[in-house]
Amino acid sequence: MAIYIRDRKRLNTETAKLIGEASYSYRGDFNYWEEELYRTPKGTFFIVGEGGALSRYRESCGQNSWGPGEGVRIISKEEAYSWAETHIREDKVEEHFSDMIEEG
């Protein structure tokens, strides 16, 4: 369980619904990253992630030096849909975002 406070909102991974997970490469690779997409009971979407020194999660560890890091960020429903469409199975996208999908 992890609790984060962002934009005056409590984001609790235990009470939020895990929508999907995605990752790239392996721990130890500078490009490695791993993310989990959640939705709170009140409908706030957020991503919890970690990654290597060349990922978006990198952290400064000195002058011109980067190391692995982690972070959390609140995203819009549209951003959550785009993330889901890219990273999880279509049936899961439809399960969580059916109101955003229309017949072609």
Side-chain angles (χ1 to χ4, degrees), residues 42-83:
K42 290 189 173 184
T44 299
F45 290 91
F46 66 101
I47 290 178
V48 175
E50 65 178 73
L54 295 178
S55 75
R56 76 179 317 152
Y57 297 101
R58 69 184 183 190
E59 293 181 2
S60 177
C61 55
Q63 187 175 11
N64 296 321
S65 295
W66 299 95
E70 55 188 38
V72 61
R73 66 188 189 280
I74 294 175
I75 61 174
S76 69
K77 186 173 184 178
E78 290 75 20
E79 291 170 311
Y81 176 82
S82 292
W83 186 97

Side-chain angles (χ1 to χ4, degrees), residues 25 31-32 40 64 67 88:
S25 196
N31 293 298
Y32 162 79
T40 69
N64 296 321
I88 63 176

Side-chain angles (χ1 to χ4, degrees), residues 5-103:
I5 305 294
R6 298 289 185 277
D7 297 336
R8 299 187 308 188
K9 295 181 182 189
R10 179 187 309 271
L11 308 171
N12 184 336
T13 59
E14 189 171 297
T15 59
K17 172 84 173 166
L18 176 63
I19 294 175
E21 302 170 275
S23 64
Y24 175 77
S25 196
Y26 58 91
R27 289 179 197 263
D29 180 354
F30 291 152
N31 293 298
Y32 162 79
W33 60 264
E34 183 176 300
E35 294 181 328
E36 298 174 332
L37 174 63
Y38 291 91
R39 184 183 67 237
T40 69
K42 290 189 173 184
T44 299
F45 290 91
F46 66 101
I47 290 178
V48 175
E50 65 178 73
L54 295 178
S55 75
R56 76 179 317 152
Y57 297 101
R58 69 184 183 190
E59 293 181 2
S60 177
C61 55
Q63 187 175 11
N64 296 321
S65 295
W66 299 95
E70 55 188 38
V72 61
R73 66 188 189 280
I74 294 175
I75 61 174
S76 69
K77 186 173 184 178
E78 290 75 20
E79 291 170 311
Y81 176 82
S82 292
W83 186 97
E85 195 173 51
T86 302
H87 297 296
I88 63 176
R89 295 188 334 245
E90 290 177 356
D91 62 322
K92 292 292 184 182
V93 173
E94 190 162 20
E95 176 185 338
H96 295 285
F97 299 97
S98 62
D99 61 320
M100 298 180 76
I101 301 169
E102 58 184 57
E103 289 295 323

